[in-house]
Amino acid sequence: MNFAEKLRQNLAKSARNLLGGLKSSFGGGKIDASTWQELEETLIRADFGPKFAASMILALKSDRELAHLDGIAEKIAAKIEMILSPLAQPLSLAPHNGKKIILVTGVNGSGKTTSIGKLAFSLQQNYRQNNGGKNPKIMLVAADTFRAAAVSQLQIWAERTGVTCVTAAAASDPAALVFQALDRAKAENYDLVLIDTAGRLNNNQGLMDELGKILRVIKKHDETAPHHSILVLDATIGQNAINQVTQFQAQAALNGLIITKLDGTAKAGILVDLAERFALPIYAIGVGEGIDDLHPFDAREFARNLLDLPPVA
Amino acid sequence: MFDSFGQKITGIFDRLTRRGALSEADVQTAMREIRIALLEADVALPVVKDFIATTTQAAIGQNVLRSITPGQMVVKIVHDQLIAMLEGRLSEPRDGGNQAPTDNALNFRTEPPAVILMVGLQGSGKTTSTAKLAKRITERERKSVMMASLDTQRPAAQEQLAILGRQAKIQTLPIVAGESPLVIAKRALKEAKTGGFDVLLLDSAGRLAIDAELMAEISAIHAATKPIETLLVADALTGQDAVNTASHFDQQIGVTGIILTRIDGDGRGGAALSMRAVTGKPIKFLGAGEKLDALEDFDAERLASRILGMGDIIGLVEKAMSAAEMQDMEQLAAKMQKGSFDLDDFALQLRQMRKMGGMSGLMGLLPGVAKAKRDLQTSGISDRDLLHQEAIISSMTRRERRDWRLLNAKRKIRIAKGSGTDVPQINRLLKQFQQTQKMMKMVGGMNKSAAKSMLGGGALGANLGGAMGGGAMGGGAMPDMSKFPNIAGLGGAGGSPPDLKALLGGGGGGSPQMSQNLNKMMRDLARGPKRGK
């Protein structure tokens, strides 16, 4: 058997339902070292990171509620849910919230443009519900002037939702576009402005500075803006998420996250570590490419999935 | 890029080096640390377990007894195992560097057009990689390439590839609205055949490996176009999921190779190891930037060295060699011999540095400079400083450039105005220049070929040191200049890049003395810059 085959077999083994595995081998006794190890490995495989997983297991070991094997995975899921549930804060366009400017940032390919398309739709629905079917005035700003066809992509999303899309020539200064767009939004009384930005790696100082400039332009316009500064994080990401949040927070004054591609096999356990470190609200999760595939973050469902538990009915 | 991981492992080995002997227990301890380091680098758990098991086996026993120092031996074993893993060989460690590495080149051996199908998750970088690859095949293989986007899912994806095609001057299949991906693929194949293209690149829509419908679609496309290469495009920042994605794609459509993108991020790149191990398929290219020529060859040895914090001296030398005009090098070498290195030559070096990816690009290639690089970032010194320095020199008269001693206060004010800088900046530049000049004089005595290779690796290091030491950090940390001539010494003494390769010990042929020097240098560099003089 070659290495790849062996590895695939190991993978299949590790992917089996943890709860089932534990029950069959122990049947409700006391938890031993190998069980703890198996739990720790489950967390590591879910992208908790080795140190965070170890500290989590250490904390759980001293928890008396967890002395028995019965429902151990469920209990741990509940603990994780407790960490995450305060951060599940869906966005809303309720009337008392007033006008909103939302800045959306992230590394390349994380799903910024798609998320904005879906976000425009969901906030539109939300506004209608709160205002007796009245449509809000929504503006999308295509401040990704770098990537080929990024503007067209956002324009198509704008057409789907029937909202305005403000664009500029390719390779022009995104901050200048944002400035003009915000002027227009004020003059024409828009309820919501969603700013799409070019993908940038958090360690690319030049592009991060560009983001800083966009933020300054927004602040010049309205000191309280952006009302939401959202980092779009790909669920498949590993430990680099911590660097991303740290550096985008420093440059773009983050106050929330959107997690994309959670419909795949990735568990995004790094969110638990992020929750402990930054306590940033999770505004929404992306689970597909359709216009209504942006869902509120459900801490319970998420935590259960981390431990290979089936969703609650 | 892989700095943090490298630093971690270097730290572990530092501890080992300080001990006299390496026992089985020592190996176990080291492996525990390596396990954490690998996991923090996002290597998937099953892959880590296997790596640890094999490496422990290789480390305990006679291998250890025969080593010069235990620490060095473990470094070598882990390094060799990493290379083996990245090359898809996980048997015994390399025994003499004479094994042929896995063939990472693209396969075109088929009746044209050779179809290359790009697959992967959403947002992994397929479209950009497709354009980069097309440009590369056109330029390096001298083949005619057509690209076609089969992505009818993401809005404007086809348009994106068309725009990139125009930028890279690569033919793209005209877009017909409303066609299904399979129909487009068939039309592309027909067009490529009648158009007499050598290669057809098919960019597919992003899809999750567990999306049955879309996976069936890509299987159908695969069956219809019979690609000779099916490349999985994956994000280097991927976490534990890398093994799932890679094995799903491989099992369902059979990939022939991997392109790892966003290697220019600060992720630790463990995904490279995971995917290689789980699919057994080679990593063919690395996407390292937003520009269309930012596609690099995959080189396991370089990657492993980088992971181990040994930096990428070979890469530095190669990069320097390719970017610098040979003619300029001849001239510089001649000037060095005469000891007449002036500000014009200095400006030439600055330009070369910029071509090679600027300060941050170069720093990433040097060994053990992770910390220095961070200092550099926090101190705000940037590639912009290189531009400023060039501007300063450009604002000088020809006479001034030949003889900097002419620069009195009045002239400096004029230059500052002309270059949009200030007098202290000019003074800093002059200080750096003098340091570099001194360096140049020192090596002037060497023979011409040694001097030339210095320009490739060493002098550059000196310049780097100069640029940093010159106070551009605004009174911050000051690197010890003597470390950089040390690198220069390596370049000069080795004479040519292949010798440097041997120095790394990866090939197994490096002389112990030189490895020791290298190790010492690495440690010194890792310890970071000394406080101001």
Side-chain angles (χ1 to χ4, degrees), chain B residues 56-68 73 77 92:
Chain B
T56 306
Q57 240 174 10
I60 299 171
Q62 60 169 337
N63 283 340
V64 178
L65 298 173
R66 278 183 10 215
S67 69
I68 311 149
M73 198 60 216
I77 291 165
E92 291 301 300

Side-chain angles (χ1 to χ4, degrees), chain B residues 182-374:
Chain B
L182 185 59
V183 173
I184 302 173
K186 285 177 178 164
R187 180 163 64 91
L189 192 58
K190 210 175 126 201
E191 290 276 319
K193 250 179 211 161
T194 50
F197 285 94
D198 302 319
V199 180
L200 171 64
L201 276 170
L202 296 175
D203 176 25
S204 69
R207 67 201 70 222
L208 295 165
I210 51 166
D211 186 327
E213 199 182 316
L214 286 179
M215 288 309 279
E217 179 200 274
I218 197 77
S219 294
I221 291 167
H222 190 273
T225 56
K226 297 190 180 56
I228 186 142
E229 293 273 9
T230 302
L231 302 178
L232 175 67
V233 182
D235 189 336
L237 307 175
T238 309
Q240 297 286 318
D241 191 52
V243 280
N244 296 327
T245 299
S247 62
H248 275 127
F249 270 98
D250 191 32
Q251 279 165 24
Q252 294 187 45
I253 51 172
V255 304
T256 57
I258 296 161
I259 297 183
L260 210 60
T261 61
R262 291 196 262 290
I263 207 85
D264 51 329
D266 60 356
R268 301 176 189 181
L273 281 79
S274 306
M275 293 197 162
R276 184 55 168 110
V278 78
T279 62
K281 303 295 158 56
I283 296 162
K284 300 217 172 191
F285 301 103
L286 303 174
E290 305 206 28
K291 292 195 182 123
L292 287 179
D293 52 5
L295 190 70
E296 295 175 359
D297 280 319
F298 178 74
D299 180 336
E301 204 160 307
R302 267 157 74 168
L303 187 59
S305 296
R306 210 159 181 157
I307 285 171
L308 289 174
M310 291 166 84
D312 197 348
I313 295 184
I314 311 163
L316 179 66
V317 173
E318 280 176 3
K319 239 178 171 177
M321 294 298 281
S322 71
E325 305 293 330
M326 280 315 281
Q327 214 183 347
D328 292 345
M329 307 242 310
E330 296 272 358
Q331 269 175 17
L332 269 179
K335 287 203 169 179
M336 271 167 66
Q337 270 192 309
K338 274 190 264 164
S340 63
F341 180 81
D342 63 17
L343 277 162
D344 267 325
D345 304 318
F346 190 64
L348 187 71
Q349 275 203 333
L350 289 177
R351 270 195 296 278
Q352 279 174 8
M353 274 178 73
R354 216 155 35 85
K355 264 193 216 162
M356 282 175 257
M359 288 294 262
S360 45
L362 279 173
M363 294 294 280
L365 293 172
L366 287 168
V369 284
K371 187 177 176 300
K373 196 175 170 185
R374 271 203 311 279

Side-chain angles (χ1 to χ4, degrees), chain A residues 3-4 6-8 10-11 14 37 40-42 44-47 49-51 107-110 114 146-149 152-153 156-157 160 199-205 207 209 234 236-240 243-244 247 261 263-267 289, chain B residues 8 35-36 39-42 45-47 49-50 85 90 121-124 153-156 159-160 163-164 167 206 208 210 214 235 237-241 243-245 247-248 250-251 262 264-267 274 277-280 290-291 377 384:
Chain A
F3 180 68
K6 200 169 66 188
L7 205 60
R8 269 198 287 270
N10 288 348
L11 269 181
S14 63
Q37 198 190 339
E40 186 174 332
E41 291 187 351
T42 305
I44 289 173
R45 276 199 315 273
D47 277 322
K51 284 189 183 147
V107 303
N108 317 62
S110 59
T114 308
F146 179 81
R147 180 167 62 86
S152 316
Q153 189 183 348
I156 293 168
W157 278 108
R160 287 180 184 174
R200 65 200 76 227
L201 288 169
N202 49 293
N203 61 334
N204 185 326
Q205 197 53 52
L207 289 179
D209 287 347
D234 186 329
T236 60
I237 197 174
Q239 300 303 303
N240 190 240
N243 286 3
Q244 283 186 25
Q247 281 154 32
K261 302 174 211 173
D263 46 337
T265 43
K267 298 267 173 84
E289 294 184 87
Chain B
K8 190 135 271 150
R35 176 180 175 273
I36 293 175
L39 287 171
E40 288 203 319
D42 288 324
L45 183 65
V47 180
K49 283 183 165 177
D50 222 283
M85 192 157 156
L90 245 188
L121 298 183
Q122 289 93 344
S124 60
Q153 290 274 325
R154 182 163 60 91
E159 192 186 333
Q160 184 185 352
I163 293 172
L164 292 175
Q167 283 172 8
L208 295 165
I210 51 166
L214 286 179
D235 189 336
L237 307 175
T238 309
Q240 297 286 318
D241 191 52
V243 280
N244 296 327
T245 299
S247 62
H248 275 127
D250 191 32
Q251 279 165 24
R262 291 196 262 290
D264 51 329
D266 60 356
S274 306
V278 78
T279 62
E290 305 206 28
K291 292 195 182 123
Q377 261 161 8
R384 196 178 290 172

Side-chain angles (χ1 to χ4, degrees), chain A residues 119-285:
Chain A
L119 200 55
F121 177 76
S122 87
L123 288 176
Q124 191 181 49
Q125 301 294 310
N126 176 264
Y127 186 91
R128 273 193 207 146
Q129 271 168 17
N130 292 323
N131 293 276
K134 192 172 156 265
N135 260 334
K137 280 184 87 172
I138 298 180
M139 175 190 283
L140 309 186
V141 184
D144 180 355
T145 56
F146 179 81
R147 180 167 62 86
V151 171
S152 316
Q153 189 183 348
L154 194 68
Q155 275 173 327
I156 293 168
W157 278 108
E159 279 164 28
R160 287 180 184 174
T161 352
V163 302
T164 312
C165 185
V166 181
T167 65
S172 59
D173 179 17
L177 171 69
V178 168
F179 190 82
Q180 285 164 15
L182 291 181
D183 262 355
R184 183 176 155 195
K186 195 182 241 174
E188 298 178 14
N189 210 18
Y190 273 85
D191 299 295
L192 171 67
V193 180
L194 281 164
I195 303 168
D196 189 15
T197 58
R200 65 200 76 227
L201 288 169
N202 49 293
N203 61 334
N204 185 326
Q205 197 53 52
L207 289 179
M208 291 306 280
D209 287 347
E210 180 190 274
L211 191 58
K213 187 178 170 192
I214 292 174
L215 192 75
R216 285 196 300 277
V217 163
I218 296 171
K219 291 245 177 260
K220 202 180 261 180
H221 193 88
D222 176 354
E223 239 175 72
T224 64
H227 304 99
H228 298 289
S229 177
I230 304 176
L231 178 72
V232 178
L233 268 187
D234 186 329
T236 60
I237 197 174
Q239 300 303 303
N240 190 240
I242 293 162
N243 286 3
Q244 283 186 25
V245 174
T246 308
Q247 281 154 32
F248 274 94
Q249 189 163 44
Q251 206 64 260
L254 289 188
N255 51 24
L257 304 173
I258 287 181
I259 317 302
T260 59
K261 302 174 211 173
L262 259 176
D263 46 337
T265 43
K267 298 267 173 84
I270 190 71
L271 277 190
V272 186
D273 195 351
L274 289 176
E276 298 271 45
R277 282 173 199 249
F278 301 98
L280 285 170
I282 300 164
Y283 293 138
I285 59 168

Side-chain angles (χ1 to χ4, degrees), chain B residues 399-465:
Chain B
R399 269 184 64 205
E400 285 164 351
R401 271 180 260 171
R402 268 198 295 272
D403 186 6
W404 63 275
R405 289 179 205 84
L406 288 174
L407 295 174
N408 57 24
K410 222 171 167 181
R411 283 175 187 257
K412 281 180 189 169
I413 292 167
R414 189 205 77 236
I415 292 164
K417 275 186 185 156
S419 58
T421 55
D422 53 28
V423 175
Q425 257 175 295
I426 296 173
N427 288 335
R428 280 199 295 270
L429 170 98
L430 289 176
K431 200 172 154 201
Q432 282 171 36
F433 166 68
Q434 285 170 64
Q435 280 168 343
T436 314
Q437 202 180 31
K438 216 184 278 170
M439 267 281 311
M440 293 294 176
K441 272 189 187 138
M442 247 164 55
V443 297
M446 291 186 192
N447 66 41
K448 201 173 168 186
S449 73
K452 229 162 76 186
S453 80
M454 280 277 317
L455 288 173
L460 202 77
N463 199 345
L464 203 62

Side-chain angles (χ1 to χ4, degrees), chain B residues 367-397:
Chain B
V369 284
K371 187 177 176 300
K373 196 175 170 185
R374 271 203 311 279
D375 290 344
L376 198 69
Q377 261 161 8
T378 48
S379 70
I381 182 173
S382 67
D383 298 336
R384 196 178 290 172
D385 294 315
L386 291 180
L387 277 174
H388 282 167
Q389 292 185 329
E390 272 189 63
I392 291 171
I393 298 177
S394 302
S395 296
M396 294 177 185
T397 66

